[in-house]
Amino acid sequence: MIPDTLREELKARIASAITTREAAVDVMKELQRHYGWLTDTAVHEAAELLGLSTLQVEELATFYEMIYRRPVGRRVIHVCDSISCWSVGCEEIMAYLQEKLGVEPGGTSADGMFTLIPCACLGNCGEGPTLMIGDTLYGRLTPERVDEILEKERKVL
Amino acid sequence: MEQVLFRHNKPGRPVTFAEYQAEGGFAALKKGLKELSPLEVQQAVIDSGLRGRGGAGFPTGKKWSFVPRDLPGPRYLICNCDEMEPGTYKDRVLLEANPYSLVEGMILAGYAIGCEHAFIFIRRGYETAAMNLRRAIGEAREAGFLGRNILGSGFSMELDLHVSAGRYICGEETALMNALEGKRANPRSKPPFPAVKGLWGRPTVVNNVETLANVPSIITNGPAWFKGLAGIPEAAGMKLFCISGHVRNTVCVELPLGMTLGEIIDGPCGGMLQGKKFKACIPGGASTPFFTAEHWGVPMDFDAVAKAGSRLGTGGIVVFPENTCMVAATLNLTTFFARESCGWCTPCREGLPYVREILTRIEAGGGETEDVEILREHVKYLNYAFCALAPGAMGPVEGLLRLFEDEIREHVVKKRCPFKN
């Protein structure tokens, strides 16, 4: 269950929309922020708030790269694997992260800290290879820099 | 060199509202709303020759003119800032430096088409740009540039920001409208075109960030001035180019349309990285066919690039050095498009993974001679897809077949990638 304050905030957001479902992405994002991922409970809550069926919410939730319908670690690492980052070595960075975290793409480290996901172009093409954690973009990755980033992100919480 | 969009840039921080105004910002808005009729604003944009900067290059003023004027009820304007075309980061750089030209351009565009509610659809991950836009919209509202009866002109417009959650297809204009409505972002059939039946079934114009941000300078300085900015007589205006890959400086720069590819790489990019030789590039984002050294002298403008067999696209240039395997590069691009396909139509949903499998096989040394023909057929077949995603995805494949067929055959004959030891 979400706290009443969040419920009221979401209701206000929905009320300001031209049509109710226009707010669907915002609602899913806020629920995900609260639960860590979009849980089944969250899907039900979103459906109720938006006046949609759970199936209608589900077809939106599964569409977007940044909405997680499965449990994730406390920090989600999105590694760009598109052409500019590819040309400057994103495959090596991905391999390094897999080894370092002991996970396959899509997996979560044993300590529950990091989930590793390949993703589409992050729009940081001039500074590749690139990854994003939360709202922060990191570019010009090397194994050493990846180590520093993981250390820093561990301390965020 | 004269700068239009980057004119207000400050080192290491965004320009402020006060600075933008002191440097002539929002003068175009005042001129447009007080001295010009909506049709005159539209005519200035038509006369300027401004073409869409988001990839397709459609004449902007002409697009506006398709909106029916006499129809009662709302009309919408959408700024497409779902910049997810791999190799493209120009709109992010622009908005991180200056959100005001876009806001001002949108108000002018809204005035021209009679829109009372406009939206900026921005991708996930552009947090700084989104923050700048929120601030700019607030400041513009405070100053009376948005809201009811703007500058006493009788024209009213609201502007809202929608932050997406990450999916390439949302950049396709009809898919974008579904996304904004809170529906699954599958594309819609065209016709009806958005100008007639768009957002919530109403007449809608969708323009790219860079396109709209150019509008204020056209109103301030006139269409002839804008046209003259280009480097060749056939082109009009400046263009943001964002370069990535193996050049010395991977920069986002504003250059006159019509500069040659070689001039861009040797000029602002400072040439290739030390010890690297140019092999090929993508000239305008992931969906454009490759250019090679033989295209070094092609003027980077819509028509000239099209004549040379590719597309200017977004202006996102990705440069590959000599040791790049073009089969592997094309495989990376196809993998992206196959994953980003929305799955709505069969040619795209089934065709792209099939092309990806063939390229994977060739790259791994298991390709057959007839694979070349199968790829060639798919370049044709995927044109029958529902939207532009699959034909775009076939751009690099078509380029690979036309320019690097020998390299594909070498993989097949040697039963391995010749670039790997």
Side-chain angles (χ1 to χ4, degrees):
Chain A
M1 281 283 283
I2 50 171
D4 288 344
T5 48
L6 178 57
R7 188 177 300 274
E8 290 313 309
E9 270 172 47
L10 293 176
K11 278 186 180 164
R13 165 67 189 96
I14 292 165
S16 76
I18 292 180
T19 63
T20 308
R21 67 182 299 168
E22 178 205 332
V25 169
D26 287 348
V27 168
M28 289 192 297
K29 278 192 211 159
E30 287 309 314
L31 291 171
Q32 175 164 292
R33 205 189 301 276
H34 176 74
Y35 288 108
W37 59 289
L38 201 74
T39 61
D40 290 350
T41 308
V43 170
H44 280 275
E45 285 168 333
E48 192 199 316
L49 282 161
L50 294 162
L52 299 174
S53 70
T54 50
L55 185 65
Q56 285 171 313
V57 174
E58 187 77 331
E59 69 168 9
L60 289 174
T62 54
F63 196 75
Y64 291 107
E65 196 166 42
M66 302 290 175
I67 301 291
Y68 316 125
R69 267 301 270 130
R70 276 186 280 178
V72 290
R74 275 175 284 166
R75 313 294 285 156
V76 181
I77 307 172
H78 291 271
V79 183
C80 173
D81 64 3
S82 295
I83 192 69
S84 301
C85 286
W86 174 84
S87 81
V88 293
C90 70
E91 285 170 334
E92 287 79 6
I93 294 298
M94 191 65 177
Y96 181 77
L97 274 161
Q98 283 177 237
E99 195 198 321
K100 174 114 185 158
L101 300 173
V103 295
E104 293 292 304
T108 299
S109 58
D111 60 1
M113 188 68 211
F114 293 110
T115 297
L116 183 64
I117 306 180
C119 75
C121 184
L122 289 167
N124 199 35
C125 316
E127 308 274 317
T130 298
L131 61 79
M132 192 170 81
I133 302 178
D135 288 345
T136 312
L137 269 177
Y138 297 97
R140 299 204 183 271
L141 301 175
T142 59
E144 297 74 38
R145 186 150 156 69
V146 167
D147 288 345
E148 287 166 24
I149 293 164
L150 293 181
E151 275 320 298
K152 189 188 142 206
E153 289 289 338
R154 258 179 220 289
K155 290 178 194 142
V156 167
L157 295 171
Chain B
M1 189 182 301
E2 177 138 21
Q3 297 285 279
V4 179
L5 298 180
F6 282 174
R7 183 162 73 91
H8 304 279
N9 286 14
K10 306 286 173 257
R13 65 172 176 87
V15 63
T16 67
F17 187 57
E19 285 169 335
Y20 180 73
Q21 284 192 281
E23 295 167 11
F26 288 106
L29 180 70
K30 289 167 193 159
K31 180 179 171 186
L33 265 56
K34 287 181 176 163
E35 297 170 24
L36 304 175
S37 70
L39 272 174
E40 284 170 329
V41 170
Q42 177 177 297
Q43 194 58 45
V45 174
I46 291 174
D47 294 343
S48 75
L50 175 65
R51 294 173 67 171
R53 267 40 172 169
F58 195 83
T60 305
K62 196 170 164 191
K63 196 186 239 187
W64 295 0
S65 73
F66 294 151
V67 173
R69 299 200 160 266
D70 41 4
L71 201 70
R75 279 170 283 258
Y76 296 108
L77 169 70
I78 303 172
C79 168
N80 186 345
C81 186
D82 191 62
E83 186 173 65
M84 285 192 73
E85 177 85 358
T88 310
Y89 57 100
K90 65 182 180 75
D91 295 337
R92 176 178 61 79
V93 170
L94 172 60
L95 293 174
E96 286 183 358
N98 170 20
Y100 301 106
S101 296
L102 172 61
V103 171
E104 186 179 6
M106 286 190 77
I107 305 166
L108 283 163
Y111 177 66
I113 64 164
C115 151
E116 296 206 351
H117 202 142
F119 297 87
I120 301 171
F121 187 98
I122 191 167
R123 61 165 292 174
R124 169 79 166 84
Y126 277 17
E127 306 305 326
T128 308
M131 192 177 69
N132 287 352
L133 282 169
R134 271 189 208 102
R135 193 183 56 239
I137 291 168
E139 287 164 334
R141 193 171 288 137
E142 189 91 344
F145 300 154
L146 281 169
R148 303 300 308 167
N149 190 18
I150 298 168
L151 301 172
S153 65
F155 169 67
S156 304
M157 189 177 103
E158 285 302 330
L159 179 55
D160 282 329
L161 185 70
H162 175 98
V163 184
S164 186
R167 190 74 191 253
Y168 174 73
I169 193 62
C170 294
E172 199 280 339
E173 62 179 2
T174 61
L176 188 155
M177 294 187 301
N178 277 337
L180 251 185
E181 292 181 15
K183 295 176 183 152
R184 194 171 166 109
N186 298 324
R188 301 175 182 175
S189 63
K190 289 194 271 192
F193 287 91
V196 179
K197 199 164 184 261
L199 193 63
W200 292 298
R202 302 294 311 170
T204 303
V205 166
V206 185
N207 286 144
N208 169 260
V209 174
E210 185 189 345
T211 311
L212 288 162
N214 266 304
V215 171
S217 73
I218 294 169
I219 300 305
T220 302
N221 302 302
W225 169 87
F226 184 81
K227 230 177 186 155
L229 289 169
I232 52 172
E234 303 87 333
M238 308 285 283
K239 175 81 190 80
L240 299 181
F241 289 94
C242 45
I243 300 99
S244 59
H246 293 250
V247 293
R248 209 178 290 262
N249 312 314
T250 48
V251 285
C252 177
V253 278
E254 183 174 27
L255 301 170
L257 270 173
M259 258 179 97
T260 66
L261 175 64
E263 284 166 345
I264 294 175
I265 292 179
D266 280 339
C269 298
M272 294 294 287
L273 276 172
Q274 189 145 27
K276 307 265 185 176
K277 196 165 167 258
F278 178 88
K279 177 175 184 175
C281 74
I282 292 171
S287 56
T288 60
F290 301 111
F291 268 1
T292 63
E294 70 176 271
H295 301 104
W296 202 247
V298 173
M300 294 298 281
D301 176 50
F302 296 97
D303 294 338
V305 173
K307 213 175 130 204
S310 190
R311 288 189 301 113
L312 183 72
T314 59
I317 302 174
V318 189
V319 178
F320 305 112
E322 207 169 28
N323 61 348
T324 305
C325 171
M326 298 312 290
V327 173
T330 309
L331 172 59
N332 172 277
L333 291 160
T334 308
T335 303
F336 167 83
F337 288 112
R339 193 173 66 195
E340 293 298 324
S341 169
C342 77
W344 175 255
C345 77
T346 312
C348 183
R349 184 184 62 242
E350 305 295 329
L352 290 177
Y354 188 45
V355 172
R356 183 189 61 202
E357 290 319 310
I358 293 168
L359 290 169
T360 304
R361 197 160 71 209
I362 295 170
E363 176 62 9
E368 308 282 344
T369 315
E370 59 259 36
D371 284 342
V372 177
E373 208 39 52
I374 298 177
L375 287 175
R376 200 162 271 137
E377 283 174 355
H378 275 74
V379 170
K380 255 186 301 178
Y381 296 155
L382 291 197
N383 276 320
Y384 299 109
F386 191 71
C387 81
L389 188 145
M394 287 300 99
V397 180
E398 186 277 321
L400 178 76
L401 289 161
R402 177 163 42 85
L403 301 162
F404 298 101
E405 190 178 330
D406 290 353
E407 211 170 295
I408 308 176
R409 294 195 184 276
E410 200 183 343
H411 281 74
V412 174
V413 171
K414 290 187 174 163
K415 298 195 183 307
R416 66 178 178 86
C417 172
F419 295 90
K420 281 183 192 144
N421 294 318

